[in-house]
Amino acid sequence: MRFEKELYQVEKITVGNDTIEVRAFRNRIYVDKPVQEEFQQMNVFAPETYYQGGTIHGYSLHTAPIFMPNLVGGYMPGMAGEPVGMPWEQEGIPNTIFRALQHGYVVATPAIRGRVLQNASGEYIGKAPACVVDYKAAVRYLRHFAKELPGDTEKIITNGTSAGGALSSLMGATGNHPDYEGYLEEIGAAKERDDIFAASCYCPITNLEHADMAHEWQFLHVNHYHRMHMRMDEGGRPAFTQEDGQMSELQIKASEELAKRFPDYVNSLKLRDENGALLELDAEGNGSFKEYMKRVVLASAQRALDFGAELSDKKWLIIRDGVAVAMDWQEYVRDITRMKSAPAFDALSMDSPENDLFGSGQTNMRHFTEYSRLNSLTGGEMAEDGAVKRMNPMKYLEDNAAVKARHWRIRHGECDRDTSLAISAMLALKLKEISCEVDYHSPWNVLHAGDYDLEELFAWVDEIAKS
Ligand code: DHB
């Protein structure tokens, strides 16, 4: 394993009215036995002033936190980032990496394998848990060359959105766990720790084997769906098409059956609110957990009200003297609308991104829940338990062999319908219970998105880095 310290570029980059000067260490292969070099390499950037003894916000060459975003979406391969020129960025508007460097962070941005990659013999080489394994290998590489690289490897903060948010949560939940060791050895990862200081997770699409039931618990009786399909155009920019439809009888039946399975799962977690009260659901899906979820949404509305938003058009929301006091859950769900038909993740036709994620070297798509395996329309195979477990941070929170990130920031938009709001809430609650420090809320009127509040994100990083 190599890190050529003398191989770098110093670049002055201007976006809009802002200019930064950075030292760029690009295309560093972070494992000894890569299976796909393009997606097992990393770019590392540091403010150039650090090499002249300068400081930014009190940070210097070896004290600056290492902000480590992944650019994974849809569990597809994620590319290594750049401070300018990413396909989706808007002209003249600094991207996350640019802003992080300007703020004084070192930025390490690994490419990561994804579900569609194949080798020359047609074997799949990016199925679960390859994405987590690569992210861990990149952290290990940073530690292995800590003396040569900029930044403080005890202050690594991962960041990602959606599938990338899920990966960030896995990084925070599974530090050094032996479950990943064999995979890390296979690709020749450095023999170092892979636990991290903090995880920033936007709308994590995670806890996948329980995501169908959580989704139907939330969206039950909303049988019409609206969804946007994203594909990349020729220029690599996202392009969207709209699909609307009514769920079939089979899908409505799946929705009802899956919704019935959620209370047992929630109750098995023995979640507690900030006052220690148990959060549960009865067989109808009502109870203290649902009341807690209403409080998450009400808190979201309250923050919007406090910032002067006008919410009187929200008929499901009861506001008295500027205070969001109550809500009608069913009408709220109708208002935000359903995006995915049932089952939302482990599709009966076995053609979802998650079916693809849980494929194997030889099999492209597999099921990963008992319900969809039993009701499969394709007779597809089931992924092995270990693969499903390795993709679920919830499975590691009470396992002492996993070193947890001490600090967490989780954001999941109030009208995000890619996964149930319960998914992030359960993660946040469990993390608090095991004494992690968690900053969780659901920003008002925010869909499935990330990095929309960088000032607040960086303020959080600064606070935990200096504490
Ligand atoms: C993503 C979104 C989804 O709805 C999903 O099921 C998986 C991944 C994403 O945007 O990364």
Side-chain angles (χ1 to χ4, degrees):
M1 187 162 297
R2 288 175 310 171
F3 173 69
E4 281 128 342
K5 189 182 171 178
E6 303 311 323
L7 213 63
Y8 62 83
Q9 294 86 37
V10 176
E11 294 167 5
K12 212 170 231 176
I13 304 167
T14 300
V15 179
N17 298 322
D18 296 312
T19 298
I20 55 174
E21 196 176 6
V22 299
R23 188 169 292 207
F25 304 91
R26 288 195 175 85
N27 310 121
R28 305 306 153 112
I29 295 182
Y30 53 71
V31 290
D32 272 338
K33 294 181 266 178
V35 290
Q36 223 283 7
E37 287 192 4
E38 189 189 348
F39 290 101
Q40 290 179 310
Q41 56 165 301
M42 167 162 62
N43 295 340
V44 180
F45 303 96
E48 178 59 18
T49 185
Y50 290 168
Y51 289 91
Q52 274 76 55
T55 62
I56 303 176
H57 287 120
Y59 299 125
S60 58
L61 187 60
H62 290 293
T63 68
I66 302 176
F67 184 66
M68 197 174 186
N70 75 76
L71 301 181
V72 171
Y75 288 105
M76 295 292 278
M79 54 174 127
E82 286 285 338
V84 69
M86 301 311 292
W88 50 81
E89 79 194 28
Q90 286 171 279
E91 175 124 12
I93 300 180
N95 71 24
T96 300
I97 293 173
F98 183 103
R99 299 263 302 270
L101 287 161
Q102 188 176 38
H103 195 90
Y105 305 138
V106 166
V107 177
T109 151
I112 287 179
R113 280 174 296 160
R115 58 186 165 87
V116 295
L117 295 179
Q118 287 174 276
N119 64 16
S121 7
E123 197 185 337
Y124 297 105
I125 53 170
K127 302 297 186 187
C131 43
V132 202
V133 171
D134 285 354
Y135 215 169
K136 284 175 174 284
V139 166
R140 289 176 173 214
Y141 181 91
L142 294 176
R143 287 226 166 87
H144 200 66
F145 293 109
K147 288 205 181 74
E148 278 85 25
L149 277 160
D152 179 356
T153 50
E154 295 313 301
K155 298 275 162 65
I156 294 175
I157 300 111
T158 57
N159 182 65
T161 298
S162 192
L167 292 187
S168 186
S169 73
L170 278 158
M171 292 301 289
T174 68
N176 313 331
H177 196 281
D179 275 2
Y180 303 88
E181 207 51 54
Y183 296 87
L184 286 158
E185 257 170 46
E186 209 175 296
I187 56 172
K191 302 231 176 310
E192 301 282 350
R193 290 162 37 222
D194 54 54
D195 59 286
I196 55 161
F197 177 64
S200 160
C201 317
Y202 289 96
C203 48
I205 299 281
T206 195
N207 200 350
L208 295 169
E209 69 272 36
H210 302 107
D212 286 332
M213 48 178 92
H215 188 269
E216 296 321 312
W217 168 75
Q218 178 164 335
F219 291 96
L220 184 66
H221 304 315
V222 178
N223 295 335
H224 195 84
Y225 59 87
H226 305 267
R227 78 181 299 174
M228 291 278 225
H229 287 284
M230 191 189 83
R231 54 171 188 81
M232 292 296 176
D233 68 13
E234 296 79 44
R237 275 168 290 275
F240 298 93
T241 49
Q242 179 80 30
E243 181 197 346
D244 265 35
Q246 197 68 30
M247 289 210 292
S248 67
E249 260 175 53
L250 183 74
Q251 290 167 334
I252 293 172
K253 179 168 159 277
S255 173
E256 288 165 355
E257 291 176 352
L258 284 162
K260 276 195 201 130
R261 293 181 175 218
F262 189 55
D264 276 353
Y265 175 62
V266 169
N267 297 345
S268 77
L269 294 174
K270 307 218 177 316
L271 301 169
R272 288 178 186 275
D273 72 6
E274 55 285 2
N275 302 315
L278 210 50
L279 301 177
E280 293 178 308
L281 292 175
D282 64 20
E284 268 65 62
N286 294 314
S288 50
F289 179 78
K290 188 170 184 178
E291 298 310 306
Y292 177 81
M293 291 311 306
K294 289 185 188 172
R295 296 209 293 279
V296 171
V297 176
L298 287 171
S300 174
Q302 191 61 51
R303 268 186 305 272
L305 288 169
D306 294 345
F307 277 102
E310 170 53 59
L311 306 184
S312 57
D313 61 323
K314 293 287 167 199
K315 299 299 172 218
W316 49 265
L317 186 62
I318 299 173
I319 304 168
R320 275 199 209 106
D321 302 325
V323 180
V325 290
M327 66 177 286
D328 181 325
W329 182 261
Q330 187 63 38
E331 287 308 311
Y332 153 70
V333 174
R334 258 183 224 295
D335 186 32
I336 66 170
T337 73
R338 171 193 283 269
M339 174 179 136
K340 294 174 173 176
S341 55
F345 296 90
D346 190 354
L348 300 183
S349 43
M350 210 170 63
D351 55 358
S352 73
E354 290 75 16
N355 292 127
D356 192 343
L357 171 69
F358 286 117
S360 67
Q362 285 68 42
T363 311
N364 196 19
M365 308 276 198
R366 291 190 296 180
H367 286 298
F368 52 94
T369 65
E370 179 196 310
Y371 181 85
S372 293
R373 172 71 194 86
L374 288 175
N375 294 281
S376 180
L377 299 174
T378 66
E381 282 171 43
M382 183 81 171
E384 56 282 350
D385 290 348
V388 181
K389 180 192 177 200
R390 285 179 185 87
M391 292 307 298
N392 191 346
M394 299 292 283
K395 295 280 187 189
Y396 293 88
L397 298 182
E398 286 161 313
D399 179 344
N400 287 331
V403 175
K404 273 53 141 207
R406 185 157 356 129
H407 307 280
W408 294 72
R409 185 174 192 271
I410 304 172
R411 293 290 181 273
H412 191 174
E414 167 266 338
C415 51
D416 187 339
R417 316 106 74 233
D418 278 61
T419 195
S420 169
L421 200 52
I423 293 293
S424 57
M426 293 186 292
L427 175 64
L429 285 163
K430 210 55 183 171
L431 283 166
K432 284 183 196 164
E433 190 186 311
I434 61 165
S435 303
C436 291
E437 190 229 40
V438 190
D439 177 336
Y440 172 60
H441 79 73
S442 175
W444 181 257
N445 201 27
V446 168
L447 280 158
H448 195 60
D451 294 7
Y452 40 72
D453 55 353
L454 291 179
E455 259 176 55
E456 289 164 53
L457 172 65
F458 294 165
W460 170 78
V461 171
D462 292 342
E463 195 183 309
I464 60 173
K466 284 167 186 169
S467 68

